[in-house]
Amino acid sequence: MNPLLQILQQTLADNFAPKKSGILQRGAMGAFVVALVVALSFIALFFLALSFYSWMLMHVLPPLAALATAGSILLICLVVVTALYLILRSKPNTPSQADETVRMISTVAAIAGDELGKTAETNPKTTLLLAGVAGLIAGKYLT
């Protein structure tokens, strides 16, 4: 029963769980690093907010300092969410066009290679002469 349960669990995880990012695919160490970075980021943001609140206390009343701190944090969160939305929303359509271009160029190169190969097989002396002239010209103008 245990192997059947493992297969069922793996199937459910593959079908319903979101796909893991590249760092999480590396296993427990990647998950630990991500968790550590998230925890340290929250601690850093907490102390940043606390220091901002303490600095604001010197200039305004405590309720206004708390309001300014909360408003600043909400503004930062809004900017981050907006940037994340714009990054995730704008998926470029050019890779499909680039893939099509690469496929067409490789097809043309394969056809040209076949034609040049046939010509080189039927006329080896002419091919050698043309290659030598091309090498001479390239050496003269590229150096």
Side-chain angles (χ1 to χ4, degrees), residues 89-110:
R89 182 183 62 115
S90 63
K91 294 188 178 182
N93 293 334
T94 55
S96 63
Q97 217 172 25
D99 292 341
E100 183 70 25
T101 306
V102 167
R103 188 178 59 81
M104 288 175 58
I105 289 173
S106 64
T107 304
V108 169

Side-chain angles (χ1 to χ4, degrees), residues 1-2 7-8 14 31 35 40-42 53-54 56 65 69-70 125 127 129 138 143:
M1 184 73 177
N2 192 14
I7 292 172
L8 181 63
D14 288 344
L40 291 176
S41 297
F42 280 124
Y53 175 75
S54 299
M56 288 294 291
T69 303
K125 292 179 183 178
T127 304
L129 180 65
T143 56

Side-chain angles (χ1 to χ4, degrees), residues 16-110:
F16 295 116
K19 299 297 180 202
K20 295 180 179 178
S21 66
I23 195 167
L24 289 179
Q25 289 178 349
R26 291 192 168 71
M29 190 59 147
F32 174 74
V33 169
V34 169
L36 183 66
V37 166
V38 168
L40 291 176
S41 297
F42 280 124
I43 291 170
L45 288 174
F46 172 75
F47 281 110
L48 180 68
L50 185 64
S51 65
F52 182 71
Y53 175 75
S54 299
W55 178 75
M56 288 294 291
L57 278 178
M58 293 188 298
H59 302 288
V60 294
L61 297 173
L64 291 177
L67 182 64
T69 303
S72 300
I73 291 172
L74 286 176
L75 182 66
I76 290 170
C77 289
L78 180 67
V79 168
V80 168
V81 167
T82 304
L84 187 64
Y85 173 74
L86 291 175
I87 289 170
L88 292 178
R89 182 183 62 115
S90 63
K91 294 188 178 182
N93 293 334
T94 55
S96 63
Q97 217 172 25
D99 292 341
E100 183 70 25
T101 306
V102 167
R103 188 178 59 81
M104 288 175 58
I105 289 173
S106 64
T107 304
V108 169

Side-chain angles (χ1 to χ4, degrees), residues 106-129:
S106 64
T107 304
V108 169
I111 292 170
D114 290 340
E115 290 297 321
L116 288 175
K118 290 176 187 175
T119 305
E121 287 177 6
T122 58
N123 302 317
K125 292 179 183 178
T126 307
T127 304
L128 182 63
L129 180 65

